[in-house]
Amino acid sequence: QSVLTQPPSVSGAPGQRVTISCTGSSSNLGAGYAVHWYQQLPGTAPKLLIYANNNRPSGVPDRISGSKSDTSASLAITGLQAEDEADYYCQSYDINLNVVFGGGTKLTVL
Amino acid sequence: QVQLVQSGAEVKKPGASVKVSCKASGYTFSGYYIHWVRQAPGQGLEWLGWTNPKSGGTHYARKFQDRVTMTRDTSISTAYMELTWLTSDDTAVYYCVRDDTGDAYDIWGQGTMVTVSS
């Protein structure tokens, strides 16, 4: 059972917008710790997608965005493309300085 | 380029230990913490702990603190993770990751598959 809660799956048609939620508690996200998001394509290592709530590393398109409010965060992908089909994970810290992950969300492009 | 290169796949028997290496290149090894994360087949990501390459300090997840040891050799820019008393539940891909200054994992190793089977 993961400390951060994500929906197991989301889906959308090409061109649509999807969001993935990440819910924590007062011991992690609510304590002010930033949230980061990773994309994992099948058979590969995860890749950093969003850091510090809403920042994109170089090379990540601006149709991908993140937000955070108190104990929850979300990842939004607009203009959905087939290449976006992957697993997505949120990550943060807790008040004991342990790293915590969400259980992961499988995005299916219909 | 900046990269982390891990040692190869391992097959171990229950009760044995495994030591995975992670060689850093393209950046100052002592400048960034190294974390270890694992992923069991078909499952999500699980954090094991971190090591500070500069000081050698460590912090382990409570679940693993009796079985895991993280070390480093700064002379060869390599971090190590040793896990003891392996069971089938430890079968997973183990990743070393670089902790950027913003506490995000910006560089991932390619992963090391550890299989525990009798």
Side-chain angles (χ1 to χ4, degrees), chain A residues 34 36 38 40 44-48 51-52 89 91 93 96-99 101-103, chain B residues 35 37 39 43-47 50 59-61 95 99 102-106 108-109:
Chain A
H36 318 294
Y38 303 89
Q40 185 176 32
T44 69
K47 164 194 164 186
L48 181 62
Y51 67 95
Y89 295 90
Q91 176 244 319
Y93 278 75
N96 296 310
L97 297 183
N98 297 312
V99 171
F101 282 105
Chain B
H35 292 230
V37 174
Q39 186 171 36
Q43 302 300 309
L45 302 172
E46 183 174 32
W47 177 72
W50 56 251
H59 179 61
Y60 304 140
Y95 295 102
D99 179 352
D103 294 328
Y105 296 155
D106 65 337
W108 291 67

Side-chain angles (χ1 to χ4, degrees), chain B residues 71-88:
Chain B
T71 57
R72 92 289 189 227
D73 184 340
T74 56
S75 69
I76 55 172
S77 299
T78 299
Y80 302 93
M81 187 282 301
E82 182 175 26
L83 191 62
T84 61
W85 294 107
L86 295 170
T87 72
S88 57

Side-chain angles (χ1 to χ4, degrees), chain B residues 25-79:
Chain B
S25 61
Y27 74 96
T28 302
F29 178 62
S30 59
Y32 299 82
Y33 283 34
I34 293 289
H35 292 230
W36 291 86
V37 174
R38 77 179 185 180
Q39 186 171 36
Q43 302 300 309
L45 302 172
E46 183 174 32
W47 177 72
L48 284 81
W50 56 251
T51 182
N52 178 346
K54 186 172 185 178
S55 68
T58 56
H59 179 61
Y60 304 140
R62 179 171 294 185
K63 174 179 178 179
F64 301 103
Q65 62 185 17
D66 292 335
R67 299 198 293 133
V68 73
T69 303
M70 297 176 187
T71 57
R72 92 289 189 227
D73 184 340
T74 56
S75 69
I76 55 172
S77 299
T78 299

